[in-house]
Amino acid sequence: MTMKLSTAVLVASALCAPVLAAPMSESEVQDLERAVAADYDARLEAAFKDFHAMPELSFRESRTAERMADELEALGYEVTRGIGRTGVVAVLENGQGPTVLIRADMDGLPLLEETGLPYASRHTQRMMDGTDQPVMHACGHDVHITSLLGTAKQMQDRHADWSGTLVLIVQPAEETGLGAKAMIADGLYTDFPKPDYAIAFHVASELEAGRIVVPAAAAFSSDDVIDLTVFGVGTHGASPHLGIDPVVLSAAIVMNLQTIVSRRIGPRRPAVVTVGSIHGGTKHNIIGENVKMELTVRSDDFETRKTLLDSIERIVRNTALAYDVPENRLPTLTYLDESSGPGVNDAETAAYLAQVISARLPERFMTEPVREGMGAEDFASLVEPQHGVEGVYMFVGGTPAEELDTAAGHHSPLFKVEPEASIRAGTEVMTLSAMALFGKDKR
């Protein structure tokens, strides 16, 4: 996941709903804050440092998953291992009521950590090619899983104050875009209680540590990952008239694709079509047989996404036809499995949680910054429209205020967060949100 936020421009759309009574009183929230602080000192700080020092790559998070499963079992949850290869599902049934799912991702990135922290990762993992690769928690997933442990304890300790079913998932392979899909394919929504609501958060280096943002609509953009192969007719470079040059054709396609956002999408709708890689040809004087390209396509809503993908297919096909490519040699587009739709929060549920959080954690809550990038997150796969799950994805700040101007971004070898403030805030907001959702239909 990568995302850039700017706090220069603020919007208050998440606060437009009528004020709703929070399900926890002020004194109960104060008790929660004290309990989370004590749990951080007793347990969570050590867990975080262990996770940070021993990160694991996507679908290879065996050690992390085992520790999470053991910790959740010790708290009294019914735990199932190996869902979506390395994923963990923990269920706490607590009478009649809605089902609330809380998700935390756990994979690291293939980077050599350069933070200089005393608990910095020196861990390596063996790659498919047989080489050893350094691994780092350069996106804050160690914060997410540590906060999930904290939330699991707080919800268990307060089980007399809510009713329903709580489902906690420890998800693999967010960084590949495949983890959530793998868990769904492995029975997450059929073999376990189907959630009415799903919530999650991401720690953000661009926000002050401990501050909380609840996006009113799109928390993340879609990410369609496309392989495009353009076919030509090979010939000698000195006799281009005897063939069809796929390099020239590809250049035309690349330029034509850039008209989609500027001429097919409304100016106020975010959209990106990027050709990130292009390879073709073998020698100076040979017109080759094909060119291969790799594309990423981003949008913030399903209508724009459809327009982008339909336009790409139309432009690719018709540009090739204009260059006299025969029907049996037209370009092919392959949509990779790691593609995901836009991460759009359920508007009514997001507004409700924003009201609850702003009422009970006012010193942490902040209005929504404008997004400056179009990062993606596979939480979107858990809340696709066909699943019928109302989802809300939030952000928790991870950087001390005095370091915001110099903080390294996500996926950097220098990325680091202030663990106590971010873990405590993440635990508090997930606990408060779950409690609110268990009482939402009773308000």
Side-chain angles (χ1 to χ4, degrees), residues 228-261:
L228 169 60
T229 301
V230 175
F231 300 99
V233 177
T235 185
H236 196 292
S239 303
H241 61 292
L242 298 178
I244 298 175
D245 191 339
V247 173
V248 174
L249 171 56
S250 296
I253 289 174
V254 170
M255 295 308 296
N256 288 340
L257 290 177
Q258 302 313 305
T259 67
I260 297 174
V261 173

Side-chain angles (χ1 to χ4, degrees), residues 148-418:
L148 189 71
L149 292 180
T151 302
K153 175 174 170 53
Q154 298 309 316
M155 294 302 295
Q156 178 67 282
D157 289 350
R158 288 163 176 74
H159 71 272
D161 299 327
W162 59 273
S163 62
T165 299
L166 178 63
V167 179
L168 308 179
I169 66 169
V170 186
Q171 184 206 295
E174 184 279 328
E175 296 294 353
T176 68
L178 297 172
K181 291 178 181 178
M183 294 193 76
I184 292 171
D186 210 6
L188 178 63
Y189 286 167
T190 56
D191 299 341
F192 301 92
K194 174 75 178 295
D196 300 291
Y197 307 102
I199 56 175
F201 79 89
H202 206 297
V203 68
S205 65
E206 300 87 357
L207 299 177
E208 181 183 344
R211 300 300 294 271
I212 298 164
V213 171
V214 183
F220 283 104
S221 302
S222 64
D223 179 17
D224 286 287
V225 185
I226 303 173
D227 285 346
L228 169 60
T229 301
V230 175
F231 300 99
V233 177
T235 185
H236 196 292
S239 303
H241 61 292
L242 298 178
I244 298 175
D245 191 339
V247 173
V248 174
L249 171 56
S250 296
I253 289 174
V254 170
M255 295 308 296
N256 288 340
L257 290 177
Q258 302 313 305
T259 67
I260 297 174
V261 173
S262 65
R263 291 299 177 266
R264 293 291 297 162
I265 305 299
R268 294 184 180 272
R269 289 197 172 193
V272 167
V273 177
T274 294
V275 179
S277 172
I278 183 167
H279 299 276
T282 58
K283 198 174 188 298
H284 302 76
N285 61 349
I286 296 175
I287 290 177
E289 291 287 312
N290 61 68
V291 170
K292 296 182 182 296
M293 290 186 265
E294 297 177 340
L295 285 68
T296 185
V297 183
R298 308 291 174 110
S299 62
D300 278 0
D301 62 85
F302 289 94
E303 180 183 353
T304 301
R305 183 191 190 194
K306 185 177 188 305
T307 299
L308 291 172
L309 298 180
D310 288 349
S311 298
I312 289 170
E313 292 192 8
R314 184 181 62 255
I315 285 174
V316 168
R317 173 183 171 84
N318 290 332
T319 304
L321 290 173
Y323 277 68
D324 291 329
V325 175
E327 287 281 349
N328 64 348
R329 297 283 289 171
L330 289 176
T332 61
L333 294 105
T334 302
Y335 297 86
L336 275 62
D337 289 341
E338 55 260 43
S339 298
S340 61
V344 182
N345 281 348
D346 180 77
E348 193 271 340
T349 306
Y352 171 62
L353 291 182
Q355 289 292 341
V356 170
I357 296 163
S358 63
R360 288 295 178 255
L361 296 173
E363 74 287 354
R364 295 197 183 282
F365 185 83
M366 64 181 292
T367 51
E368 182 181 352
V370 171
R371 289 192 301 142
E372 293 187 340
M374 298 190 74
E377 227 281 359
D378 79 344
F379 180 79
S381 296
L382 297 173
V383 295
E384 288 179 344
Q386 69 267 25
H387 296 314
V389 178
E390 297 180 13
V392 178
Y393 198 97
M394 310 177 197
F395 296 95
V396 171
T399 300
E402 64 274 14
E403 298 178 17
L404 283 172
D405 291 340
T406 58
H410 297 253
H411 292 214
S412 164
L414 299 174
F415 174 85
K416 62 181 178 179
V417 297
E418 201 295 299

Side-chain angles (χ1 to χ4, degrees), residues 40-242:
Y40 182 84
D41 292 338
R43 186 175 65 107
L44 299 181
E45 181 180 22
F48 168 79
K49 289 180 178 179
D50 178 64
F51 290 138
H52 187 90
M54 294 294 293
E56 295 174 293
L57 295 171
S58 301
F59 286 131
R60 305 190 67 187
E61 314 96 336
S62 300
R63 180 185 184 275
T64 304
E66 192 62 25
R67 172 161 186 175
M68 289 295 293
D70 289 346
E71 296 263 8
L72 293 169
E73 276 186 336
L75 290 169
Y77 287 75
E78 182 180 345
V79 173
T80 305
R81 296 161 166 83
I83 303 302
R85 295 172 63 176
T86 53
V88 177
V89 179
V91 178
L92 184 61
E93 294 184 342
N94 191 32
Q96 297 296 313
T99 298
V100 176
L101 180 150
I102 305 178
R103 173 269 207 168
D105 43 2
M106 61 174 164
D107 53 329
L109 288 158
L111 287 171
L112 176 63
E113 182 167 353
E114 298 177 7
T115 61
L117 293 168
Y119 51 88
S121 171
R122 295 294 177 263
H123 185 51
T124 62
Q125 279 189 304
R126 183 63 52 88
M127 305 294 285
M128 295 297 292
D129 62 4
T131 61
D132 290 328
Q133 172 68 51
V135 189
M136 175 188 175
H137 268 303
C139 205
H141 297 185
D142 46 353
V143 172
H144 305 169
I145 53 178
T146 306
S147 289
L148 189 71
L149 292 180
T151 302
K153 175 174 170 53
Q154 298 309 316
M155 294 302 295
Q156 178 67 282
D157 289 350
R158 288 163 176 74
H159 71 272
D161 299 327
W162 59 273
S163 62
T165 299
L166 178 63
V167 179
L168 308 179
I169 66 169
V170 186
Q171 184 206 295
E174 184 279 328
E175 296 294 353
T176 68
L178 297 172
K181 291 178 181 178
M183 294 193 76
I184 292 171
D186 210 6
L188 178 63
Y189 286 167
T190 56
D191 299 341
F192 301 92
K194 174 75 178 295
D196 300 291
Y197 307 102
I199 56 175
F201 79 89
H202 206 297
V203 68
S205 65
E206 300 87 357
L207 299 177
E208 181 183 344
R211 300 300 294 271
I212 298 164
V213 171
V214 183
F220 283 104
S221 302
S222 64
D223 179 17
D224 286 287
V225 185
I226 303 173
D227 285 346
L228 169 60
T229 301
V230 175
F231 300 99
V233 177
T235 185
H236 196 292
S239 303
H241 61 292
L242 298 178

